[in-house]
């Protein structure tokens, strides 16, 4: 039944699939909700939707949740809401714009100056840009904010993750990545052929490949890397970016809390059960490819993209080429 849901896609990505799996799979029925007392979690994209739901669930389990936000007013509202919903006082935030790498560097520097360890890093932020736009370096904003920024943040926070080992990094991808193949050369769409949905799907494919590459480079260190996709979730971002899809599928869309379920599960499950470098959905490892033509033509594509990003994001004191 689980394999059939995967093959059919739509039911497997919807609340129908989650309901069936919740009833049938041992991952949902083997009990326990481990405490995260004393653990520190950073999560991006948490002022609404899936990230907000995940932050509340993790704070409820005792984690000190620290989230990133671009806007202070939204961050304050989110913090108050998270604290009220979770009953936890240990919710805080830092201001950073993931489409501005200097802003990411400033956030990471401040966090490392005030914290000596990080147990869980969750890359959840995502956005579909309807128009082609670039940062000051000429990088299209989808690539800057959803590929380069998570890579940079992972690298800058790696000392804190190593200090907390066993620790983990969780990257929230999208089922849309199944439609795209990773090619570092064509990852960034040109302005003449730009489509926001395609750019988003390519970035999400790159995130999964990079998570696997990080896992290979940090095998044996105690830092585990996981990527996952949450299924089709009813979020403000989907309603705005894909209104037609949202209207058509709304009756079967997951709630943000349901979409956050596997994120939370990956954050609390004992590391020996999870391994590292896998791609997850509904609490189980899933194939990275559903369509044969989306496999990388170059087996070293993920390594080359990792090396390229390490060069592009390097700054004094942070030379990652030896990793």
């Amino acid at each position: 039944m689980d394999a059939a849901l995967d093959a059919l896609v739509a039911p497997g990505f919807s609340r129908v699939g989650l309901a069936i799996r919740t009833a049938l799979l041992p991952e949902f029925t083997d009990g326990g909700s481990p405490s995260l007392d004393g653990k520190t979690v950073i999560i991006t994209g948490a002022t609404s939707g899936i990230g907000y739901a995940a932050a509340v669930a993790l704070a409820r389990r005792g984690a000190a949740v620290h989230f990133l936000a671009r806007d202070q007013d939204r961050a304050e509202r989110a913090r108050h809401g998270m604290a009220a919903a979770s009953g936890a006082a240990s919710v805080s935030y830092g201001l950073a714009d993931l489409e501005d790498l200097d802003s990411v560097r400033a956030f990471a520097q401040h966090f490392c100056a005030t914290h000596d360890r990080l147990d869980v890093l969750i890359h959840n932020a995502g956005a579909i840009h309807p128009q082609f736009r670039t940062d000051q370096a000429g990088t299209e904003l989808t690539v800057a904010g959803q590929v380069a920024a998570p890579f940079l943040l992972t690298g800058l926070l790696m000392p804190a993750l190593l200090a907390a080992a066993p620790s983990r990094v969780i990257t929230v991808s999208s089922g849309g990545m199944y439609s795209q193949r990773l090619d570092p050369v064509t990852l960034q769409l040109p302005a003449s052929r730009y489509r926001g949905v395609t750019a988003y799907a390519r970035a999400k494919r790159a995130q999964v490949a990079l998570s696997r590459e990080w896992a290979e480079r940090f095998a044996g260190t105690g830092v585990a890397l996981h990527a996952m996709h949450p299924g089709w979730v009813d979020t403000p971002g989907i309603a705005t970016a894909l209104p037609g899809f949202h209207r058509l599928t709304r009756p079967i869309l997951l709630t943000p809390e349901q979409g956050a379920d596997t994120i939370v599960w990956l954050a609390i499950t004992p590391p020996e059960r999870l391994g590292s470098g896998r791609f997850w959905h509904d609490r189980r490892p899933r194939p990275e490819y559903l369509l044969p033509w989306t496999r990388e033509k170059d087996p070293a594509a993920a390594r080359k993209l990792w090396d390229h990003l390490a060069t592009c994001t390097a700054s004094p004191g942070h030379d990652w080429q030896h990793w």
Side-chain angles (χ1 to χ4, degrees):
M1 178 64 74
D2 183 46
L5 288 169
D6 262 351
L8 293 171
V9 179
F13 287 10
S14 73
R15 65 173 61 185
V16 176
L18 179 61
I20 293 171
R21 288 168 172 147
T22 299
L24 296 180
L25 298 184
E27 289 86 348
F28 288 93
T29 58
D30 53 10
S33 181
S35 169
L36 291 175
D37 288 346
K39 305 292 186 182
T40 300
V41 176
I42 286 180
I43 180 167
T44 68
T47 55
S48 65
I50 298 170
Y52 182 94
V56 169
L58 294 167
R60 192 174 286 148
R61 287 166 173 79
V65 173
H66 191 64
F67 66 94
L68 274 72
R70 287 184 296 181
D71 179 82
Q72 187 164 6
D73 289 340
R74 287 191 68 186
E76 279 292 340
R77 289 195 297 271
R79 184 180 67 82
H80 284 296
M82 290 173 190
S86 66
S90 54
V91 178
S92 59
Y93 66 86
L95 297 177
D97 182 349
L98 293 179
E99 292 168 358
D100 177 352
L101 297 189
D102 285 338
S103 176
V104 174
R105 291 185 180 96
F107 169 84
Q109 182 179 21
H110 182 264
F111 180 86
C112 290
T114 54
H115 297 75
D116 59 1
R117 53 181 287 141
L118 174 62
D119 298 276
V120 184
L121 170 61
I122 302 171
H123 297 298
N124 170 73
I128 297 176
H129 293 293
Q131 305 296 327
F132 181 88
R133 296 167 56 205
T134 66
D135 64 11
Q136 291 184 344
T139 304
E140 192 271 315
L141 291 186
T142 311
V143 176
Q146 297 173 60
V147 181
F151 178 90
L152 175 62
L153 190 58
T154 299
L156 293 175
L157 296 177
M158 188 56 73
L161 288 161
L162 288 167
S167 55
R168 60 200 79 183
V169 180
I170 302 165
T171 298
V172 181
S173 182
S174 163
M177 71 104 189
Y178 279 123
S179 67
Q180 298 296 315
R181 180 177 63 224
L182 175 65
D183 181 351
V185 176
T186 61
L187 174 61
Q188 177 165 306
L189 288 166
S192 60
R193 292 191 294 106
Y194 181 80
R195 287 186 67 245
V197 173
T198 302
Y200 180 80
R202 288 189 180 184
K204 292 300 180 180
R205 167 65 76 184
Q207 288 180 348
V208 174
L210 287 168
S211 178
R212 177 173 15 94
E213 182 67 17
W214 277 106
E216 291 177 5
R217 292 178 186 243
F218 279 80
T221 65
V223 181
L225 286 296
H226 308 289
M228 59 79 68
H229 83 84
W232 291 345
V233 185
D234 191 355
T235 66
I238 290 297
T240 300
L242 299 171
F245 172 83
H246 183 259
R247 284 193 301 270
L248 180 66
T249 60
R250 189 171 186 178
I252 62 170
L253 293 180
L254 298 156
T255 67
E257 291 74 20
Q258 290 171 325
D261 175 79
T262 295
I263 302 172
V264 176
W265 184 79
L266 287 169
I268 66 177
T269 299
E272 61 272 13
R273 290 186 55 187
L274 301 177
S276 185
R278 291 170 163 175
F279 181 57
W280 301 81
H281 172 59
D282 282 354
R283 301 194 184 190
R284 279 203 167 178
R286 306 290 171 182
E288 288 187 27
Y289 310 93
L290 294 181
L291 305 169
W293 55 87
T294 60
R295 290 184 176 274
E296 290 87 60
K297 291 184 177 180
D298 180 359
R303 176 178 58 80
K304 291 177 179 178
L305 178 58
W306 197 102
D307 289 341
H308 172 71
L309 289 169
T311 299
C312 290
T313 62
S315 57
H318 294 99
D319 178 10
W320 302 337
Q321 292 293 350
H322 63 285
W323 286 352

